[in-house]
Amino acid sequence: MKSLKGLLINLQFFTSIPISIALPMDRDHLEKAIRTFPLVGLFQGSLYAFILYAFLEWTPFSILVAAFAVWLAGIVLTGGIHLDGWMDASDAFFSYRDQKKRLEIMSDPRTGAFGVLSVLVLLSTRFLFIYEIVLLASSVSYFLIALIPFFGKMMMGILLLKVKAAKEEGLGFLFQQSASSNTLHIYPIYLLIIAGAAGMLMDPALIGVLIMIVISVLLFFFLSKKVNTWFGGMTGDVLGASVEGTEVLLWMVVWLLHYFAMG
């Protein structure tokens, strides 16, 4: 029951789905929420895959419309919560100031020019990848699309617990303080299940999953080092930016797979 409530907490925080019940925010339930971060991502990705399938198979609309529907779903379903973190972190990063000033910039509710430009680049790049994936779509495409937010949320959980907090306040610090030493032990089990499911499909699916795992691991090592250098540690905004960055990178990976491994 605590795991289910943890999942519902994630849906309340990280999606725009209305969850109108009062949920406990104690340490045990928040720890269960961290455990289920990837499951929320898998739920999001499955919705994207379903939307794509529905537009391609059940409507007369063009490929462009189908791609736009998937692209828009990624914004609407999350309520833009991670995009907000991307913009705030971009404003701070491109200020080229010291760590203290960067944290102050991220706390500023106003969005600067760098934040606006960075989100335009992010969203336009993501649309390009989605459109070309849809153009070249096969049955494996739906499976890989469903995994993109899965890995994004998994990255969020790992960075949350493996990188020190930059400040002792905010949503990220609240979650971090609720974790235990074995919170992340469930994540490798998720990966084994996903890899097993990919193996039962066809070779391109398994190759795609393995490449996505390798890219995610490399990105984790890069971010875990650079986040401390750039911001002095992890914040909620940086976590949101990490999710968006991970996902757009994996959209690119899936896009390239369609050209070089699934053609």
Side-chain angles (χ1 to χ4, degrees), residues 118-154:
S118 68
V119 79
L120 288 175
V121 171
L122 176 81
L123 292 176
S124 58
T125 303
R126 187 160 72 192
F127 181 77
L128 169 66
F129 295 147
I130 293 173
Y131 175 73
E132 291 234 320
I133 290 168
V134 174
L135 199 62
L136 303 168
S138 66
S139 57
V140 176
S141 304
Y142 302 107
F143 181 73
L144 296 180
I145 287 172
L147 295 183
I148 292 174
F150 168 82
F151 283 107
K153 290 297 192 293
M154 181 172 285

Side-chain angles (χ1 to χ4, degrees), residues 44-59:
Q44 291 176 229
S46 298
L47 280 181
Y48 303 159
F50 173 77
I51 289 170
L52 176 58
Y53 182 85
F55 269 85
L56 291 180
E57 300 295 332
W58 300 338
T59 75

Side-chain angles (χ1 to χ4, degrees), residues 16-260:
S16 57
I17 297 173
I19 306 293
S20 57
I21 60 175
L23 294 168
M25 296 294 293
D26 57 83
R27 183 188 180 104
D28 286 344
H29 285 89
L30 290 180
E31 194 267 345
K32 294 297 187 295
I34 298 170
R35 288 173 180 255
T36 56
F37 278 174
L39 298 184
V40 174
L42 186 61
F43 168 73
Q44 291 176 229
S46 298
L47 280 181
Y48 303 159
F50 173 77
I51 289 170
L52 176 58
Y53 182 85
F55 269 85
L56 291 180
E57 300 295 332
W58 300 338
T59 75
F61 297 122
S62 68
I63 287 175
L64 179 62
V65 174
F68 179 77
V70 175
W71 177 84
L72 187 62
I75 301 171
V76 174
L77 185 60
T78 62
I81 185 171
H82 300 313
L83 288 174
D84 180 69
W86 175 270
M87 289 188 287
D88 289 342
S90 296
D91 274 333
F93 175 78
F94 288 110
S95 71
Y96 297 108
R97 308 292 289 275
D98 57 45
Q99 293 176 355
K100 182 179 179 181
K101 186 61 179 177
R102 281 176 167 173
L103 292 177
E104 291 177 5
I105 291 172
M106 282 193 289
S107 299
D108 191 331
R110 296 170 296 181
T111 301
F114 288 120
V116 174
L117 289 172
S118 68
V119 79
L120 288 175
V121 171
L122 176 81
L123 292 176
S124 58
T125 303
R126 187 160 72 192
F127 181 77
L128 169 66
F129 295 147
I130 293 173
Y131 175 73
E132 291 234 320
I133 290 168
V134 174
L135 199 62
L136 303 168
S138 66
S139 57
V140 176
S141 304
Y142 302 107
F143 181 73
L144 296 180
I145 287 172
L147 295 183
I148 292 174
F150 168 82
F151 283 107
K153 290 297 192 293
M154 181 172 285
M155 180 69 73
M156 182 172 74
I158 297 172
L159 286 173
L160 177 68
L161 301 193
K162 296 301 181 181
V163 179
K164 69 181 180 72
K167 51 185 180 180
E168 296 184 356
E169 60 182 18
L171 182 60
F173 183 71
L174 178 65
F175 274 98
Q176 192 177 64
Q177 291 299 107
S178 302
S180 65
S181 59
N182 63 353
T183 298
L184 297 180
H185 289 180
I186 190 70
Y187 284 18
I189 297 175
Y190 293 152
L191 291 177
L192 287 174
I193 294 172
I194 292 297
M200 290 188 292
L201 293 175
M202 53 186 70
D203 288 344
L206 183 58
I207 292 171
V209 169
L210 294 177
I211 291 175
M212 292 170 85
I213 291 173
V214 170
I215 294 297
S216 297
V217 170
L218 293 175
L219 183 60
F220 163 73
F221 284 115
F222 173 79
L223 290 176
S224 61
K225 180 179 179 180
K226 291 299 183 180
V227 162
N228 284 319
T229 302
W230 294 335
F231 305 105
M234 189 59 63
T235 71
D237 284 330
V238 175
L239 280 174
S242 299
V243 172
E244 291 292 347
T246 300
E247 290 188 8
V248 77
L249 181 61
L250 293 179
W251 277 111
M252 184 184 74
V253 168
V254 174
W255 169 64
L256 290 173
L257 283 169
H258 280 74
Y259 275 101
F260 298 109

